[in-house]
Amino acid sequence: MPDFIFQMPGKIEIGFSKSGDIARIIKEIKLQRVLVVVDSNLKKMGIVDRIFNHLKKEAISFSVFDSINNEPTITEIDQAIHDLKVASNFDGVVGIGGGSTIDVAKLLAVSGSIKGSIRDYIGVNLIKESSIPTIMVPTTSGTGAEVTPNAVVKDPVAGWKKGIVSSFLIPDRVILDPELTISLPPKITAETGLDAFTHAIECFICNKSNLMSDLFALDSIRLINNYLRRAVRNGNDKEARYYMAIASLYGGIAITNSGTGGVHALAYPLGGKYNISHGLSNSILLAEVMEFNAEAVPEKFLRVANAMGIETIKLSQEKAIRSALDAISKLVDDVGIRVENFKISEQVIDDLAESGMLQERLLKNNPCPIKYEDARRIYRKSLIMK
Ligand SMILES: [Fe+2]
């Protein structure tokens, strides 16, 4: 009967076109001047213009920060903190975009308590003061960043991404508007959706999982298994987009209260060294890391099988687990992730495994210890031998 803590944002509003309520929420929490952090790519799609027009119509005072790279570096964020002086110029931050944009919005909101560089805050619970109020509006169904205490930044010196984790980064308010995900192309829908799926499975089987994080993780697995294929096949499938947005949010809540493990640990070097997107890096490794983990937590894999709609009652434990592992591989395959598209040679496997071993925070949470030789085997099987 372990003790545990459960955290999530104070209020989450979910529904099609809910992003049209943003001015109402800003007024509700009595913000006078907000910084709106947006992904510059969204401008081209007209999504942010609609939201800006709405803010103007409601006479909300705001400034826009849109100089966000897809993978923001420590240097870029330090520069933004210096230039924007958020704590003295604004009393709230809105983040509209994918995971990177939302992570930058979180860090800017807490920047009043950051002395020097954010590099000094990489790790767990090094940020110790509240942010100014934040409202997050995700535009992808994947990272779950809108509800997590994490901000991922790229370290240009090391060449890979690192995490800043603090309860003070958990956003205050969330607007989950599946309408904003309708225009996502199939490839991004698949990769971000499998990132969410990885969150759900890893959080469910990992050492820090608890009874409440399990609720969100298991239902996220069920929803993604039911709806990701549909969202990839037809981006206009509103029902699929709705449930994928919720599944991604559930994955984020599971991360906040449990945590990811081996897949994310080994995915970071792939993203950092070969510029493979985060979702894709996870998707490539997911099946092999789960094969590796299954023996350590067989009873958990039986429940994963059930969440994926597999009737296990008449199956031996071994067969039921095999069915779960096959269903995971099939989902990755069905949404079009193909390992043969990567030109990664045998020579880089040692290098990847060495970098993967540095992700101690995540490796510690994996249900089965991953050693250097295990990491090499997983990389080789995932990237080359298929
Ligand atoms: Fe992730």
Side-chain angles (χ1 to χ4, degrees), residues 16 35 53 78 92 96 105 113-114 128 132 153 156 170 188 201-202 206 217 228 289 313 316 324 339 345 385:
F16 276 88
L35 175 67
N53 289 338
D78 281 345
I96 306 169
S113 65
I114 288 180
K128 296 185 185 298
I132 54 176
V153 294
I170 296 177
I188 297 182
I201 291 206
E202 290 215 276
C206 275
L228 180 57
V289 178
I313 201 127
S316 65
V339 175
S345 66
M385 286 179 65

Side-chain angles (χ1 to χ4, degrees), residues 142-144 152 194-196 198-199 202 255 260 264 268 278-279 282:
T143 67
V152 178
L194 285 176
D195 182 28
T198 308
H199 297 155
E202 290 215 276
I255 290 177
T260 56
H264 274 71
Y268 276 134
H278 174 69
N282 283 328

Side-chain angles (χ1 to χ4, degrees), residues 104 133 174 194 216 239 263 349 383:
V104 170
V174 177
L194 285 176
F216 289 94
E239 190 182 49
V263 182
I349 295 293
L383 293 163

Side-chain angles (χ1 to χ4, degrees), residues 3 16-17 156 160 166 197 210 229 282 306 311 319 345:
D3 295 354
F16 276 88
S17 304
W160 62 81
S166 164
F197 188 67
N210 60 61
R229 294 174 180 88
N282 283 328
N306 293 145
E311 192 67 67
K319 278 204 171 136
S345 66

